[in-house]
């Protein structure tokens, strides 16, 4: 009885506090909305200097060098930096932005792909009666609605299921999710709802049935993060901002203020990473938006300054699309170590993550095998035993570094609030640190407000709320049909172009070459199983792509979806870029090598290769060993103990199958652990053992030999297309 009274009292107090918080925030929100209505109407007044075509990178660099003084120089081309550039230029400030790598090359391209307010943060806000964290969720939900409106081609609402395995959790989670809807108010995407066990399994048939009592479905947003970041940056360039990737800050420029006698930051000495040329960019205000590298630039300003960021690594994996429904994700609210795992459909694949652990700052974070296996283990806990979650099904894996704001009272990074801070140093440099992808726009607004106040900049009112991003203006849900009808593109390719480039998709389609086939008429694919076409590589250069990595990782998302497919597409990508940019043979080889290294280390290809090594155990019973030896000897007719491309080609020709010699070499090379140009019997048995244990899946040699063996007996057709290619 005492427990029930205490529970009731807690519910009343907590409910009252939430209602009070909600009332106050709604009043504040009403006032802010009214004040901004006029700003949205002002969009029509903005001039677009480069509406017809973007200036080249060379032209942008020339502007950076030749401009006497900018009002604002932003360092960092991630979501926050690009947001600051767009905010600044649309306030009629002379704006520059430099990024030492590619736009969105860091954390902004390695997110969970969600545009969300944060259900977890709302839970903490309610349980701890934390008004600040509640307002952070409120702000994020407002920004979520805005982002879905200004880039509808790159984002969309996504249903997310929260499975419930204890009866008492059903009302608990339902109340929390309903509060999430309530806080969103009029900007709620769709109302959440409760599902019975039967209905939950109907919508998510891969779900574990045992002890399932029901589920709750709520809605958040999802986007193509790297393309979204790029759209923000390109939009700022359209409005006149001078932006340049592969332009690093060597040191800050300073001058003495005649009134105070103190040194003030007045720009940066930069270096073009591509050519090595150095130059000064002068500006009244410098904004530090470098994400995890925030403290590096702050120490460039003042060596004695203390660190304000605590980096945290988050690993994600990509597995085949059949692991999740096409239009519904899954949320695991309490993993074995207290972290949250999302399991989401994305780009016709499934993304699972994320981990959250302290890390060192690096420009090239690497996913660890430990983190990959942790995610796989958590995924297995929620999926049916009928669905075998194999390590070999991991098609790609990446690690992103979150620039969390340090809380001195925190014991671990999981409890750090993802809020942001804006700081103005004594020398006048403005730093924006922390925050979430979703709130990039409001963070940029707050940052520019601080910069304008600190440097008395002649700025106009904010105009980014409701401002359409690159490609959004002419996009419609049926735009892809026009692409099919007008250009003769494949339906899947047309849908991809429309959802990637929006209204600019027609420019990509115009560049597409004729295939020489009856259908499709135009649009040669880079790899057969993905809708990326060769003309996208040419268009990527117009979007400031400078390297092959830019194309496979950020202009297309091939490297994030399937590293093996990306590896196969690389030679053609380098060839196209080399022709367009007039690369020497040495440069082409260097680009190919750098891109392969990127896939190997940063996109999880190394983890794939470690699943099959010289020391891998052969865990097969006697019957399996004899069966696989028999299969092997159908190709090794001379009983040499190994097979080469010549052996395989001979058997394939006998069953009327033709495979390109280079492709066949690549197929054998995946299993050739000794790298001696041949696959030995022990290597083949190690492969089949790894396949049996789930460490390797969809291996092309295993599938090829099995299918060819069957065809030798039946003399039927043999299929050798790669069905996935796990890492």
């Amino acid at each position: 009885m005492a427990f029930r009274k205490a529970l009731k009292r807690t519910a009343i107090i907590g409910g009252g506090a939430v209602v009070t918080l909600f009332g106050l925030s709604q009043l504040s929100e009403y006032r802010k909305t009214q004040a901004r209505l006029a700003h949205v109407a002002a969009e029509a007044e903005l001039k677009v200097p480069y509406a017809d075509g973007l200036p080249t990178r060379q032209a942008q660099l020339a502007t950076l060098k030749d401009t006497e003084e900018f009002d604002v120089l932003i360092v960092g081309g991630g979501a926050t930096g690009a947001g600051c550039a767009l905010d600044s230029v649309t306030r009629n400030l002379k704006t520059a932005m430099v990024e030492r790598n590619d736009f969105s090359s860091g954390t902004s391209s390695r997110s969970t792909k969600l545009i969300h307010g944060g259900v977890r943060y709302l839970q903490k806000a309610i349980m701890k009666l934390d008004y600040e964290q509640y307002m952070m969720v409120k702000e994020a939900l407002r920004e979520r609605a805005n982002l879905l409106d200004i880039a509808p081609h790159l984002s969309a609402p996504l249903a997310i299921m929260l499975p419930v395995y204890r009866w008492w959790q059903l009302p608990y989670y339902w109340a929390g999710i309903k509060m999430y809807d309530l806080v969103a108010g009029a900007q709620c995407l769709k109302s959440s709802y409760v599902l019975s066990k039967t209905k939950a399994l109907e919508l998510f048939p891969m779900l574990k049935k045992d002890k399932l009592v029901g589920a709750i479905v709520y809605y958040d947003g999802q986007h193509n993060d790297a393309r979204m970041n790029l759209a923000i940056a390109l939009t700022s360039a359209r409005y006149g901002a001078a932006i340049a990737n592969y332009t690093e800050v060597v040191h800050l420029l300073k001058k003495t203020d005649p009134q105070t006698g103190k040194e003030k930051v007045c720009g940066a000495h930069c270096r073009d990473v591509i050519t090595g040329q150095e130059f000064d960019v002068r500006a009244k205000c410098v904004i530090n938006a470098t994400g995890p590298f925030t403290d590096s630039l702050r120490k460039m300003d003042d060596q004695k300054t203390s660190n304000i960021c605590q980096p945290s690594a988050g690993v994600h994996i990509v597995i085949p699309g059949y692991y999740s429904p096409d239009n519904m994700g899954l949320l695991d609210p309490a993993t074995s170590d207290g972290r949250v795992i999302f399991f989401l459909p994305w780009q016709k694949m499934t993304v699972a993550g994320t981990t959250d652990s302290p890390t060192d700052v690096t420009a090239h974070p690497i996913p660890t095998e430990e983190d990959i296996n942790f995610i796989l283990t958590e995924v297995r806990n929620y999926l049916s035993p009928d669905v075998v979650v194999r390590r070999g099904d991991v098609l790609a894996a990446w690690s992103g570094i979150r620039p969390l704001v340090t809380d001195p009272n925190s014991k671990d990074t999981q409890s750090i609030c993802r809020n942001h801070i804006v700081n103005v140093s004594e020398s006048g440099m403005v730093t924006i640190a922390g925050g979430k992808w979703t709130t990039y726009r409001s963070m940029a607004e707050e940052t520019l407000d601080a910069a304008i106040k600190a440097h008395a900049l002649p700025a106009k009112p904010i105009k980014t709320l409701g401002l359409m991003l690159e490609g959004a203006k002419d996009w419609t849900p049926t735009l892809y049909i026009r692409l099919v009808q007008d250009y003769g593109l494949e339906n899947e390719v047309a849908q991809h172009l429309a959802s990637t480039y929006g209204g600019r998709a027609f420019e990509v389609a115009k560049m597409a070459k004729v295939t020489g086939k009856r259908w499709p008429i135009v649009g040669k694919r880079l790899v057969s199983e993905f809708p990326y076409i060769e003309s996208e590589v040419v268009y990527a250069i117009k979007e400031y792509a400078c390297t092959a990595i830019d194309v496979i990782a950020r202009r297309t998302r091939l490297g994030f979806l399937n590293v093996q497919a990306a590896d196969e597409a690389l030679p053609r990508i380098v060839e196209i870029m080399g022709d367009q940019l007039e690369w020497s043979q040495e440069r082409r080889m260097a680009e190919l090598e750098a891109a392969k290294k990127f896939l190997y280390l940063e996109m999880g290809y190394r983890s794939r290769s470690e699943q099959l090594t010289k020391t891998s155990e052969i865990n097969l019973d006697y019957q399996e060993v004899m069966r696989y030896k028999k299969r092997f000897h159908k190709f090794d007719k001379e009983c040499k103990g190994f097979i080469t491309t010549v052996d395989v080609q001979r058997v394939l020709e006998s069953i009327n199958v033709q495979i390109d010699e280079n492709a066949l070499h690549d197929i054998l090379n995946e299993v050739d652990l000794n790298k001696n140009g041949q696959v030995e019997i022990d290597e083949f048995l190690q492969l089949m053992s790894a396949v049996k244990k789930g460490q390797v899946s969809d291996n092309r040699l295993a599938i090829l030999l099995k299918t060819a063996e069957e065809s030798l007996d039946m003399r039927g057709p043999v299929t050798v297309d790669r069905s996935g290619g796990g890492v």
Side-chain angles (χ1 to χ4, degrees):
M1 183 66 72
F3 173 75
R4 289 182 179 179
K5 288 181 179 180
L7 187 63
K8 184 176 181 181
R9 191 180 300 115
T10 302
I12 293 171
I13 294 172
V18 169
V19 170
T20 303
L21 288 170
F22 181 71
L24 289 172
S25 67
Q26 287 295 97
L27 177 61
S28 173
E29 182 64 25
Y30 172 78
R31 289 173 177 170
K32 288 180 181 178
T33 302
Q34 290 299 108
R36 284 171 170 158
L37 284 175
H39 301 161
V40 178
E43 180 182 350
E45 301 173 9
L46 289 172
K47 295 180 180 179
V48 188
Y50 301 105
D52 296 330
L54 290 164
T56 64
R57 181 174 180 272
Q58 288 70 27
Q60 295 281 34
L61 287 169
T63 302
L64 289 172
K65 297 172 190 175
D66 299 340
T67 301
E68 184 177 345
E69 185 181 52
F70 289 94
D71 291 317
V72 177
L73 167 63
I74 297 113
V75 182
T80 305
C84 287
L86 182 57
D87 187 295
S88 176
V89 74
T90 53
R91 294 205 205 193
N92 204 37
L93 295 173
K94 194 178 293 184
T95 305
M97 178 177 72
V98 294
E99 161 60 47
R100 73 174 180 180
N101 205 298
D102 186 27
F103 303 121
S104 195
S105 59
T107 308
S108 297
S109 64
R110 306 177 190 226
S111 72
T112 311
K113 322 303 178 192
L114 285 178
I115 310 171
H116 63 132
V119 174
R120 176 167 57 134
Y121 304 138
L122 181 61
Q123 180 190 28
K124 289 182 179 180
I126 294 173
M127 299 301 291
K128 298 179 181 180
L129 301 181
D130 187 336
Y131 180 73
E132 181 182 355
Q133 193 149 206
Y134 168 81
M135 289 306 296
M136 185 188 76
V137 176
K138 180 74 177 175
E139 176 188 52
L141 289 171
R142 182 183 66 243
E143 293 300 323
R144 178 189 70 178
N146 179 67
L147 195 50
L148 289 167
D149 287 340
I150 65 176
H153 58 304
L154 292 170
S155 60
L158 175 69
I160 300 176
M161 179 182 290
L162 198 163
V164 180
Y165 289 90
R166 292 186 177 91
W167 281 107
W168 67 266
Q169 290 180 332
L170 204 58
Y172 173 77
Y173 285 135
W174 177 86
I177 295 298
K178 276 300 173 187
M179 181 59 68
Y180 194 59
D181 291 348
L182 187 63
V183 173
Q187 293 162 332
C188 178
L189 301 180
K190 292 182 181 180
S191 182
S192 58
Y193 53 91
V194 178
L195 293 173
S196 66
K197 175 180 179 178
T198 302
K199 192 64 177 177
L201 292 172
E202 182 181 323
L203 293 177
F204 209 117
M206 310 84 174
L207 208 57
K208 184 172 69 176
K209 303 175 184 178
D210 294 347
K211 299 181 180 179
L212 181 69
V213 297
I216 299 165
V217 175
Y218 73 99
Y219 289 83
D220 255 325
Q222 188 179 50
H223 69 153
N224 185 338
D225 53 2
R227 291 296 315 184
M228 184 72 80
N229 190 159
L230 187 64
I232 300 166
L234 295 180
T235 306
S236 73
R238 295 272 182 198
Y239 282 108
I243 67 172
N245 53 353
Y246 294 99
T247 305
E248 68 176 350
V249 172
V250 179
H251 61 80
L252 296 173
L253 302 177
K254 291 189 177 184
K255 65 180 180 181
T256 303
D257 188 326
Q259 295 180 342
T260 63
K262 294 182 179 180
E263 282 195 330
K264 296 291 183 182
V265 173
C266 62
H269 183 72
C270 299
R271 184 175 75 91
D272 181 353
V273 176
I274 304 295
T275 65
Q277 186 178 9
E278 297 188 6
F279 54 92
D280 289 342
V281 180
R282 298 193 175 274
K284 296 172 184 174
C285 173
V286 173
I287 293 176
N288 175 10
T290 54
F293 299 93
T294 293
D295 290 319
S296 297
L297 199 65
R298 293 179 75 243
K299 290 185 182 297
M300 199 179 287
D301 176 27
D302 178 8
Q303 281 290 334
K304 297 179 181 178
T305 193
S306 59
N307 291 345
I308 60 173
C309 279
Q310 183 171 321
S312 169
V315 171
H316 294 80
I317 64 172
V318 170
I319 52 182
Y322 54 69
Y323 275 102
S324 65
D326 292 337
N327 56 359
M328 182 170 288
L330 187 74
L331 167 63
D332 178 357
T335 62
S336 56
D337 66 352
R339 295 181 284 197
V340 171
I341 289 285
F342 284 99
F343 190 68
L344 310 167
W346 183 68
Q347 302 283 308
K348 298 187 178 180
M349 295 295 179
T350 301
V351 174
T354 178
T355 59
D356 191 354
S357 54
T359 186
D360 295 326
V361 176
T362 173
H364 307 287
I366 299 171
T368 66
E369 189 63 25
E370 181 183 359
D371 284 328
I372 292 172
N373 284 320
F374 167 80
I375 296 171
L376 288 173
T377 299
E378 295 302 326
V379 167
R380 290 186 188 103
N381 291 338
Y382 273 86
L383 295 187
S384 168
D386 296 336
V387 180
V388 181
V389 181
R390 302 176 296 182
R391 173 61 184 84
D393 282 336
V394 178
L395 304 173
W398 68 85
S399 176
I401 300 178
R402 304 185 192 93
L404 307 183
V405 180
T406 303
D407 178 358
N409 299 318
S410 173
K411 294 181 179 179
D412 55 68
T413 58
Q414 287 98 313
S415 64
I416 294 177
C417 179
R418 261 65 169 178
N419 214 338
H420 63 274
I421 64 166
V422 176
N423 172 263
V424 181
S425 70
E426 289 187 7
S427 63
M429 185 173 74
V430 181
T431 294
I432 169 67
K436 292 159 53 73
W437 218 122
T438 307
T439 57
Y440 84 91
R441 193 210 63 83
S442 59
M443 289 163 58
E445 178 183 345
E446 186 180 334
T447 304
L448 263 296
D449 286 344
I452 291 165
K453 182 179 179 181
H455 295 274
L457 300 176
K460 290 187 176 181
I462 178 76
K463 291 186 176 69
T464 54
L465 191 63
L467 186 70
M468 303 298 275
L469 298 182
E470 175 85 352
K473 189 175 181 181
D474 299 319
W475 178 84
T476 65
T478 57
L479 182 144
Y480 75 95
I481 297 175
R482 287 178 55 200
L483 291 170
V484 174
Q485 294 175 337
D486 294 354
Y487 295 95
L489 289 162
E490 291 178 82
N491 187 62
E492 184 186 13
V493 170
Q495 287 180 327
H496 153 67
L497 294 182
S499 64
T500 301
Y501 304 95
R504 302 282 175 187
F506 293 100
E507 297 178 29
V508 184
K510 288 176 185 176
M511 295 178 178
K513 291 184 178 180
V514 175
T515 63
K517 302 176 182 178
R518 184 182 63 80
W519 190 262
I521 298 172
V522 301
K524 293 183 178 180
R525 295 194 182 207
L526 290 168
V527 283
S528 61
E529 65 267 46
F530 286 92
Y532 302 113
I533 58 176
E534 292 183 354
S535 62
E536 291 184 75
V537 181
V538 180
Y539 192 75
I541 296 171
K542 294 180 179 294
E543 295 181 321
Y544 305 125
C546 299
T547 70
I549 296 173
D550 298 342
V551 174
I552 61 173
R554 293 170 286 275
R555 302 310 182 278
T556 73
R557 306 312 308 275
L558 192 54
F560 279 77
L561 294 172
N562 189 317
V563 293
Q564 190 171 335
D567 185 63
E568 290 176 17
L570 272 176
R572 182 57 181 151
I573 291 172
V574 170
E575 182 183 0
I576 295 170
M577 294 189 77
D579 292 343
Q580 292 289 318
L581 298 173
E582 299 181 348
W583 285 345
S584 65
Q585 188 60 34
E586 291 76 15
R587 174 67 189 274
R588 293 177 192 231
M589 294 301 296
E591 282 292 328
L592 192 61
E593 186 63 28
K596 286 180 176 291
K597 182 179 179 181
F598 168 78
L599 292 174
Y600 184 75
L601 294 176
E602 297 184 50
M603 290 292 110
Y605 218 160
R606 183 177 71 170
S607 294
R608 173 196 178 277
S609 64
E610 289 174 349
Q611 299 307 304
L612 188 62
T613 66
K614 297 177 184 178
T615 58
S616 297
E617 293 183 5
I618 299 176
N619 187 21
L620 300 170
D621 59 35
Y622 177 76
Q623 287 81 6
E624 290 170 331
V625 169
M626 296 309 295
R627 182 168 76 248
Y628 294 137
K629 281 187 175 182
K630 179 183 177 183
R631 181 178 302 169
F632 187 86
H633 287 306
K634 285 184 180 291
F635 293 80
D636 179 22
K637 293 186 179 297
E638 293 85 6
C639 297
K640 305 183 300 293
F642 62 86
I643 57 174
T644 64
T645 55
V646 175
D647 297 316
V648 179
Q649 195 74 270
R650 182 176 59 242
V651 174
L652 294 179
E653 287 175 357
S654 72
I655 54 175
N656 299 318
V657 172
Q658 298 295 325
I659 296 182
D660 178 73
E661 185 176 346
N662 291 330
L664 191 57
H665 174 77
D666 289 340
I667 291 173
L668 264 68
N669 192 51
E670 294 172 7
V671 185
D672 179 12
L673 303 178
N674 295 321
K675 303 304 176 187
N676 57 2
Q678 57 195 34
V679 175
E680 298 166 4
I681 181 64
D682 285 346
E683 290 174 328
F684 181 65
L685 293 177
Q686 286 174 321
L687 166 66
M688 300 315 299
S689 179
V691 169
K692 176 184 177 181
K693 291 186 286 186
Q695 293 174 324
V696 173
S697 65
D698 298 323
N699 179 270
R700 291 184 288 174
L701 182 65
I703 294 172
L704 178 63
L705 266 60
K706 178 184 178 183
T707 313
E709 180 187 40
E710 295 170 351
S711 297
L712 284 170
D713 297 331
M714 300 175 60
R715 291 290 171 178
V718 55
T719 301
V720 295
D721 290 342
R722 170 163 42 77
S723 58
V727 303

